[in-house]
Amino acid sequence: MKWKLKLILCAVIMSGIFLVNKENGYACSCAQQPSVQSELENKTAIFSGKVLKITGSSQKKVLIDVDLIWKGPSQSQLIVETERDSAGCGVDFIEGENYLVYAYGDKFNLETGLCERTNLLTDAGDDIRNLGAGKEPEKQVNLEHQLGTNAITWGIFIAILFIFTLFMFLRKKK
């Protein structure tokens, strides 16, 4: 009977961890977007490219195959982080789509958001005209290995570990 009580207690604690571990929601609010010239002066990187892969849960990491660069690292792929959804000012990137990206941060930790003028390339014609001719990347790189594992992989690992521990616990009781 005691092992059943321990099992129930363990299940309650595990579910409590998932229920209590919540994030606060925020609404995104941007002031008027700065001009393209202002962004060219203030951003770490401005480039266009195709989204290859998106990972992450609370903050998304987006791997982009770079076509043209106006400012920033001159390499064939870049990783940009953004909040997970537009309510948190994150860009809703879509795999396979092309974007004009305005990013801030240092060149190894680029970030972007809704307030940064980042947009689908098909909707960025005026920005492209104002930026002028971009340059092709000079250095060929493959950054896919830097994306890391996502939350689903960790969730599966934790579930398997929990089931294994539970199995070992019940086996000792017999």
Side-chain angles (χ1 to χ4, degrees), residues 16-30:
I17 289 171
F18 293 111
L19 294 175
V20 173
N21 189 15
K22 63 179 181 172
E23 295 182 27
N24 293 329
Y26 301 98
C28 180
S29 176
C30 303

Side-chain angles (χ1 to χ4, degrees), residues 82-95:
T82 190
E83 292 299 322
R84 70 178 167 176
D85 56 35
S86 58
C89 291
V91 177
D92 291 326
F93 285 105
I94 301 168
E95 287 184 16

Side-chain angles (χ1 to χ4, degrees), residues 11 25 28 35-36 47 53 55 66-67 74 77 80 84 86 89 101 109 120 122 126 131 134 141 145 154 166 171:
C28 180
S35 69
V36 172
F47 58 93
K53 191 171 184 180
T55 63
V66 177
D67 293 325
S74 185
Q77 290 184 348
V80 178
R84 70 178 167 176
S86 58
C89 291
V101 179
N109 294 305
L120 281 165
T122 55
D126 289 341
L131 287 167
V141 296
H145 65 281
W154 280 108
L166 184 61
R171 190 171 170 212

Side-chain angles (χ1 to χ4, degrees), residues 6-170:
K6 288 180 183 179
L7 179 63
I8 292 170
L9 182 61
C10 186
V12 168
I13 289 172
M14 288 300 289
S15 13
I17 289 171
F18 293 111
L19 294 175
V20 173
N21 189 15
K22 63 179 181 172
E23 295 182 27
N24 293 329
Y26 301 98
C28 180
S29 176
C30 303
Q32 183 177 359
Q33 286 188 332
S35 69
V36 172
Q37 189 58 41
S38 173
E39 293 291 72
L40 191 55
E41 294 168 11
N42 296 316
K43 293 300 175 217
T44 305
I46 302 174
F47 58 93
S48 65
K50 182 178 183 176
V51 173
L52 297 178
K53 191 171 184 180
I54 302 170
T55 63
S57 55
S58 64
Q59 193 165 43
K60 296 186 289 190
K61 286 187 175 188
V62 182
L63 177 63
I64 299 176
D65 192 38
V66 177
D67 293 325
L68 294 173
I69 300 166
W70 287 268
K71 186 176 181 179
S74 185
Q75 57 191 50
S76 61
Q77 290 184 348
L78 290 170
I79 295 175
V80 178
E81 292 189 24
T82 190
E83 292 299 322
R84 70 178 167 176
D85 56 35
S86 58
C89 291
V91 177
D92 291 326
F93 285 105
I94 301 168
E95 287 184 16
E97 291 290 339
N98 290 292
Y99 288 84
L100 176 61
V101 179
Y102 292 82
Y104 58 91
D106 68 54
K107 64 182 180 178
F108 300 110
N109 294 305
L110 296 172
E111 296 182 49
T112 192
L114 285 181
C115 303
E116 312 305 325
R117 296 191 73 92
T118 294
N119 207 346
L120 281 165
L121 197 56
T122 55
D123 297 333
D126 289 341
D127 285 27
I128 298 290
R129 281 188 286 286
N130 286 319
L131 287 167
K135 297 178 184 174
E136 291 186 7
E138 295 172 4
K139 185 177 180 183
Q140 294 296 313
V141 296
N142 183 349
L143 302 180
E144 190 166 358
H145 65 281
Q146 292 184 15
L147 289 177
T149 58
N150 60 25
I152 293 172
T153 304
W154 280 108
I156 291 170
F157 174 75
I158 290 170
I160 290 170
L161 185 62
F162 176 73
I163 290 168
F164 177 76
T165 305
L166 184 61
F167 173 75
M168 294 304 290
F169 176 75
L170 292 175

Side-chain angles (χ1 to χ4, degrees), residues 1-7:
M1 185 66 176
K2 284 186 179 183
W3 69 270
K4 287 182 183 179
L5 185 59
K6 288 180 183 179
L7 179 63

